[in-house]
Each structure stands twice: as C-alpha cells, then as structure tokens.
Amino acid sequence: MKKDIFKGMFVGLIANAIGLFLAASFLGKGDDFMVVIEAAAKEDFLGKLISLGAILNLIAFFIFIRKKQDYRARGVLLITVFIAIFTFIFKLF
C-alpha cells in the first residue's frame, strides 16, 4: 500500500519534470532549457511554467484511476498538491 503511494509520487515527479521540460522547450522557442528557466525566474514566470509542467500529472492520474491503481493515483495527487503549494509559496516570496 505505502509502496504504491511512493511509486505514484515518483511517477508524478517524473511526469512533472517531463512536462516542465516540454513547456520550457515549447515556450522557449528553441533556446537551451537552463536559459529558459533562468529567464522565467527573472521575469517571475517560473511558477507558471512549473504549473504548466504539472499537466502531465493529470494524464498519469487518470491512467492510474482507469487501471484501478488507486494508491498510485493518490501518490500522483499528493505530488500535484505539493507542487501547487510550492508554486504558491514561491509566488509569495
């Protein structure tokens, strides 16, 4: 049970990282990934970019729900909530 939650959290982190990379690549217009991240941080756009990356968590969540792997879906949901709280705090400071 706990093992499945951690697997879901891992999938959620990987999905968010891939989504962040894809969002940065798409919005960066061919620039290097780190250049886009640094520019987003300077222009206070990094929180929005991280939130866009979390869209892939939605896909992973529904795949786990469809396969009736509720504990893995719970792990993805926990990571998504953590990312939302992180971006909220990041936006405040």
Side-chain angles (χ1 to χ4, degrees), residues 48-66:
K48 294 175 185 175
L49 200 59
I50 292 171
S51 297
L52 280 174
I55 290 175
L56 286 183
N57 285 355
L58 184 67
I59 296 169
F61 176 77
F62 282 115
I63 288 172
F64 286 142
I65 291 293
R66 179 163 287 200

Side-chain angles (χ1 to χ4, degrees), residues 8-89:
M9 291 172 73
F10 180 72
V11 168
L13 282 174
I14 296 299
N16 194 12
I18 291 171
L20 176 63
F21 180 76
L22 290 175
S25 298
F26 181 71
L27 296 174
K29 299 175 185 166
D31 289 337
D32 186 37
F33 176 72
M34 289 308 296
V35 172
V36 173
I37 296 297
E38 289 172 2
K42 287 180 186 175
E43 298 174 10
D44 291 332
F45 189 72
L46 187 59
K48 294 175 185 175
L49 200 59
I50 292 171
S51 297
L52 280 174
I55 290 175
L56 286 183
N57 285 355
L58 184 67
I59 296 169
F61 176 77
F62 282 115
I63 288 172
F64 286 142
I65 291 293
R66 179 163 287 200
K67 290 183 174 183
K68 302 207 184 302
Q69 296 174 342
D70 294 337
Y71 287 105
R72 290 184 184 183
R74 188 180 295 178
V76 172
L77 186 62
L78 285 171
I79 286 296
T80 305
V81 169
F82 175 74
I83 290 168
I85 291 170
F86 173 75
T87 55
F88 178 72
I89 291 171

